Amino acid sequence: MADIQLDTVDALMARYAAGILPEPARVLVEAHLEMQSTNRAKVAKYEMVVGDMLEYLEPVSLQSRDKALEAIFAAPSLPMADPTSGQPKNALFPKAIREFAGLDAAEIPWKRKLPGFKEYSLGKIDGCDVSFFWLKPGRVIPAHTHEGYELSLVLDGAFNDTRGRFVKGDISVADESIDHRPVAEAECPCIGFAVSQAPVKLTGSWRQLLGDMIG
């Protein structure tokens, strides 16, 4: 994601429609579109714009016709009108997340990162660090900023920070311009899917940091 400008959800949707997102970010957006219908029409409009632009591009000869056709047929399709059809009973994660990670919420082998803060890392995929996070109700994440982009999709529960409230299906887009201290809301644990370009950088006072670490 280093060469892609991602500072808003709209920018993320536009690049999804253009097919230029890293695979984990594409999965995150597809899962968002499954969970919330708001941006589906916007993505469809972006796709129309991309299609119109393609009509004016000069033709380029294919280096390998067979490989190009293989890539086209292997490309993922957008969610259909009812993307939740076939959802397994009691499944928490949307289909795109389940297929990408190969598991649902109940199957995640969580690892404790801090008191009340668990994580499961999928490692580095397509240049991105990919992970799930679990926050107990009321848990504060230590104040931090970002050395690159971080995309977070709320899969259950909610959290808030200085930018506002993020609920189930919402995407948080954070970069080096954001310095925040997210707090999981009190009603239930907050579970999310995160795709990041680089590690976070802790900020704030040592006293606050120590208190947040202890939880």
Side-chain angles (χ1 to χ4, degrees):
M1 285 194 291
D3 57 345
I4 298 178
Q5 188 68 23
L6 294 176
D7 52 2
T8 66
V9 172
D10 280 352
L12 189 60
M13 296 299 121
R15 281 151 182 79
Y16 172 80
I20 56 174
L21 287 177
E23 180 63 6
R26 182 198 68 78
V27 170
L28 183 145
V29 173
E30 190 161 314
H32 160 74
L33 295 174
E34 288 183 45
M35 300 173 76
Q36 293 187 6
S37 62
T38 307
N39 282 316
R40 291 179 199 165
K42 184 175 293 183
V43 167
K45 289 180 180 178
Y46 286 143
E47 288 183 316
M48 291 178 63
V49 171
V50 172
D52 290 341
M53 292 173 62
L54 289 175
E55 292 185 8
Y56 294 96
L57 293 178
E58 290 294 327
V60 178
S61 59
L62 295 175
Q63 297 295 322
S64 173
R65 176 180 177 277
D66 291 340
K67 286 185 178 179
L69 288 173
E70 182 180 344
I72 291 171
F73 290 127
S77 58
L78 284 172
M80 301 302 289
D82 183 13
T84 61
S85 62
Q87 180 93 338
K89 187 177 181 180
N90 299 323
L92 177 65
F93 293 170
K95 181 181 178 182
I97 297 286
R98 293 197 316 274
E99 292 184 348
F100 179 73
L103 43 68
D104 197 62
E107 304 165 305
I108 291 185
W110 294 109
K111 292 186 178 179
R112 182 177 181 269
K113 191 166 184 178
L114 291 171
F117 179 9
K118 296 185 287 189
E119 184 180 56
Y120 173 60
S121 174
L122 296 177
K124 189 171 284 291
I125 302 174
D126 201 9
C128 306
D129 292 313
V130 186
S131 63
F132 292 95
F133 60 85
W134 181 98
L135 305 173
K136 76 175 183 180
R139 196 9 163 144
V140 176
I141 298 298
H144 63 276
T145 188
H146 302 266
E147 297 181 358
Y149 300 107
E150 180 184 68
L151 312 174
S152 300
L153 172 66
V154 180
L155 298 171
D156 200 28
F159 75 86
N160 62 78
D161 62 15
T162 54
R163 299 168 298 165
R165 186 170 185 252
F166 296 85
V167 301
K168 188 172 181 177
D170 284 348
I171 297 175
S172 162
V173 179
D175 59 16
E176 64 277 1
S177 69
I178 302 296
D179 191 331
H180 59 159
R181 188 169 172 255
V183 182
E185 296 194 350
E187 287 72 18
C188 66
C190 180
I191 300 175
F193 178 67
V195 176
S196 58
Q197 179 188 2
V200 301
K201 180 180 179 181
L202 295 175
T203 59
S205 68
W206 281 106
R207 177 175 294 182
Q208 183 189 70
L209 177 61
L210 180 59
D212 291 345
M213 289 289 190
I214 295 172

